Amino acid sequence: MAGTGPFFNPLIQSTAVASPNHVNELNSPWQVPAGVIGRNLLSLREVEADVAQSIQRVDAGNISSMFDMMAYEPTGRYIFIPHETPFGAGVSRHDTLTDTTELLFAGDQMAGGKRECEPSSCDRWAHDFAAFDPARWTPNGTVWLGEEWAGLGRVVEIMNPLSPAPEDPTASALIEGSDYRIVETVANVAHEGIHFSRAHPNRVIYYIDEWNSGSIYALRLKQAGDYMAGGQTFVLSVDDFAASGGDASAMWNDEVNEGATRFGPATWIPLTDEDGKPLEGVTDPFRDGPTIDPRDDAGLVRGGRAAADDVGGTPYGRPEDMEVGSLKNGSEVLYVTTTAEHAVLSIEMLGDNRAYVRSFASRATPKNLGLPPTTGGLNAPDNLAQDASGNIYIVEDAPNRSDVGGDVWFARDMDNDGVAESIDHFMSMQVAGSESTGMIFHPTEPTKFVIAVQHPTSTDLGMVPDGFGDAVWEFDIAGAVPPPAPDQASQSSTD
C-alpha cells in the first residue's frame, strides 16, 4: 500500500546529455539525489569481451540489443533481460552472484533475412521473434516475454528459466512446448505492460495494447494457474465513452473523440466466452498479424486491437507499462502509462466486472510540491516501477537523442486514493541516444532497484567502435539524504 512522502531531495532540473562513451555513461549515467548510490552490473561491451558469457546482439545499429523491461525471480539472484530487437529477439539471464550473463533464448533471425528460404516454403516468423519488451516472472516460476512493435504480437513462455543455458539458445534448436511455448490464451496485441493480479495471481492477468490508441485487457483463466487451458478475455470500456460521442475505432485524439469521456465508471466487456472462443460478431483476438493501423487494413491487423474496436474498448494514447497495487480502501488498482498523453491512469477494480478510471498523474500534477521546484516536466511517461511501500515511479520514454535527458519521477500519493498530489523529480538521464527502462525493485532487499540504459548511441559499433552499449545498473536508496521539514522546504523555495 502506497502513501509515503519523498525520502530524498528532488532534482531541480533535467540533466544535459553527454557524448557517447563519455565518463558519465561509463560511471554515472543518471543524475540522482544526494545519497543514492549506483553501480554498474553489466554492459554489452563487458559481456561480449568475455568468452564465458553470452548475450543477444543482431545487426541493427543502436537497436542491436535493446535491453528493456527486466524481471527478477523471487530470490533476487537472477535478472531476466528481454531484448527489444527488430528480429532475433531473445532474453538473457544475469547472475548477480557470479556476475555473469547468459543468453537463454533467441529467435533464429529468419525474419531479418539471415537465412535463405522462399516465402512460399517457409514461415519466417515460425522460430523468430521480435521486440520483446516485457519480461515477467510468473506465479508458475516461468518467464513471459511479449512482442511489441514487431513480430506477430505473441507472448512466449520460457519454461525452464533457472536451468543451465542451452548450447544453442535459438528457438529453431529448442523443443517448443518443453523449452518454450506460445501462450495462445493471451490476445495478439502490441505487448508491453503485462502483470498478474495481486488479489488473484493465479486467476487474472492484465495486459495492454501499446499500439496507437490501444486498450487495456484482462484474462480470467478457466483453471487456476493453467495458462493454456483457456479463459475469458475482456477489454476495458468507460461507460460514458460512447454516450459522449466516442468512437473506439478512431484514434484517441481524432476530432470525433475530442470531447469523449475516458475517465470515470467503466466495465470489463467480454471478447470471448469462458473457454476463450470469440463471441459472435467479434474479431478473433488471437489472430496473428503485423503491427498496422486497422483503418488501413482491418483484415491484417493483430486480432486483439480489432476485437476491442468491435465491442467499444476505450482507446488511450499509447498505453504502455502497467503496475498492479492496492488503494487505501483495499481495492486492487492498475497504474497505466499513456505515453502520447503525457499521463498515467489509475484504474480501481470494483468487482463484478466494474472499474473506475482516474487521472493518477499528468502535466497538470504539481512538481516537487512544498520542496525546491524543478524546471523539468513530465514528458512521454513509458515505464512504471513500484517499491516495497507501494510508491509508483514514472520512467520517461523521451526525449531520446536530444540534448536534455529523460527523467524518472516519484509519484507522491500520500492518501493512497489513486491520484498523486505531486510528482517529485528523482533521476535524469545523461547518456547520448538513450532512454531509461526496466526499473524494478529487488524482491528481498527493498532499498535496491535496477534500471537499464537502452539503445544508447554507443550500442552502434559502426559509430562507436568501442561502445559501452546497453547496460544495467543497480541503485541503493538506503543512504538518500531526506528532504527538509515542510516548513523549512517552503521557506527555502521562496528565498
Side-chain angles (χ1 to χ4, degrees):
M1 184 178 295
T4 72
F7 53 85
F8 57 94
N9 280 290
L11 305 182
I12 59 172
Q13 64 182 13
S14 300
T15 190
V17 169
S19 57
N21 273 8
H22 187 276
V23 64
N24 287 352
E25 180 174 0
L26 304 182
N27 296 325
S28 55
W30 290 270
Q31 181 184 359
V32 297
V36 176
I37 305 299
R39 68 185 182 102
N40 179 246
L41 295 186
L42 73 139
S43 67
L44 271 176
R45 185 170 73 181
E46 172 201 339
V47 173
E48 292 177 335
D50 184 350
V51 296
Q53 299 188 65
S54 59
I55 204 163
Q56 182 68 335
R57 184 196 284 264
V58 302
D59 185 12
N62 76 311
I63 61 171
S64 294
S65 194
M66 288 271 275
F67 295 4
D68 216 317
M69 290 162 55
M70 299 176 286
Y72 273 112
E73 45 76 40
T75 72
R77 173 174 175 174
Y78 295 104
I79 303 168
F80 296 90
I81 307 166
H83 299 275
E84 192 185 347
T85 54
F87 53 88
V91 61
S92 297
R93 180 182 64 199
H94 179 72
D95 185 339
T96 61
L97 185 62
T98 63
D99 190 25
T100 55
T101 304
E102 297 176 291
L103 182 62
L104 289 186
F105 174 84
D108 63 9
Q109 301 192 36
M110 187 176 286
K114 298 302 181 183
R115 299 188 181 186
E116 295 298 328
C117 69
E118 294 296 326
S120 60
S121 64
C122 73
D123 178 358
R124 291 183 177 274
W125 287 115
H127 297 292
D128 202 3
F129 301 91
F132 284 153
D133 193 341
R136 287 285 181 260
W137 183 265
T138 77
N140 285 352
T142 60
V143 169
W144 278 15
L145 307 165
E147 293 182 305
E148 188 193 344
W149 50 270
L152 300 177
R154 299 160 291 184
V155 169
V156 176
E157 184 173 19
I158 307 302
M159 305 303 296
N160 49 358
L162 298 180
S163 296
E167 292 185 11
D168 184 351
T170 56
S172 56
L174 299 176
I175 302 171
E176 185 170 3
S178 175
D179 298 285
Y180 78 97
R181 64 185 181 183
I182 309 299
V183 183
E184 296 179 347
T185 51
V186 176
N188 289 50
V189 298
H191 287 288
E192 179 156 342
I194 299 177
H195 265 291
F196 296 83
S197 166
R198 289 195 172 193
H200 309 285
N202 292 310
R203 277 287 186 185
V204 179
I205 301 160
Y206 303 109
Y207 57 99
I208 287 170
D209 181 7
E210 188 269 346
W211 197 243
N212 295 331
S213 297
S215 297
I216 300 158
Y217 300 76
L219 169 63
R220 186 179 298 149
L221 295 172
K222 186 176 181 179
Q223 297 179 24
D226 190 339
Y227 306 142
M228 306 298 279
Q232 191 163 24
T233 298
F234 301 82
V235 68
L236 188 70
S237 178
V238 170
D239 294 349
D240 290 338
F241 176 68
S244 59
D247 181 354
S249 64
M251 298 289 282
W252 69 277
N253 57 351
D254 277 356
E255 184 176 355
V256 68
N257 285 330
E258 283 186 356
T261 300
R262 292 181 300 123
F263 298 91
T267 303
W268 290 102
I269 305 295
L271 301 176
T272 72
D273 64 17
E274 293 180 356
D275 294 317
K277 299 185 184 304
L279 298 178
E280 185 176 354
V282 178
T283 302
D284 180 1
F286 311 107
R287 183 181 67 190
D288 290 339
T291 304
I292 61 171
D293 190 324
R295 296 171 300 175
D296 295 334
D297 192 333
L300 284 178
V301 73
R302 296 167 173 176
R305 169 64 188 273
D309 289 349
D310 289 341
V311 303
T314 301
Y316 291 95
R318 284 191 66 201
E320 295 208 50
D321 196 16
M322 173 195 298
E323 279 289 335
V324 181
S326 298
L327 297 180
K328 187 176 182 179
N329 63 12
S331 295
E332 183 159 87
V333 61
L334 311 184
Y335 299 98
V336 176
T337 55
T338 53
T339 305
E341 301 185 52
H342 309 289
V344 182
L345 311 174
S346 65
I347 305 168
E348 182 180 359
M349 302 295 104
L350 300 176
D352 296 324
N353 291 346
R354 301 290 296 157
Y356 198 94
V357 182
R358 297 180 175 89
S359 175
F360 176 67
S362 70
R363 285 179 165 175
T365 303
K367 300 175 297 183
N368 292 6
L369 183 65
L371 297 167
T374 179
T375 58
L378 186 63
N379 188 29
D382 184 343
N383 294 173
L384 296 172
Q386 187 172 186
D387 66 21
S389 297
N391 296 302
I392 296 297
Y393 299 72
I394 305 168
V395 184
E396 291 183 349
D397 189 18
N400 297 347
R401 300 179 177 83
S402 73
D403 295 333
V404 178
D407 299 311
V408 179
W409 301 84
F410 173 92
R412 190 195 315 178
D413 181 13
M414 294 187 68
D415 58 3
N416 193 208
D417 64 350
V419 179
E421 301 93 46
S422 175
I423 53 173
D424 304 316
H425 204 164
F426 183 54
M427 301 171 73
S428 192
M429 172 63 79
Q430 304 186 112
V431 180
S434 71
E435 61 180 288
S436 307
T437 189
M439 183 179 181
I440 184 170
F441 277 80
H442 195 285
T444 64
E445 299 182 60
T447 66
K448 294 182 179 179
F449 67 88
V450 291
I451 189 168
V453 178
Q454 186 192 60
H455 62 63
T457 304
S458 64
T459 292
D460 187 347
L461 297 179
M463 295 184 62
V464 189
D466 189 35
F468 197 64
D470 287 57
V472 177
W473 292 72
E474 180 187 74
F475 285 88
D476 195 334
I477 60 177
V481 176
D487 55 340
Q488 295 174 321
S490 177
Q491 177 64 37
S492 65
S493 65
T494 57
D495 287 344

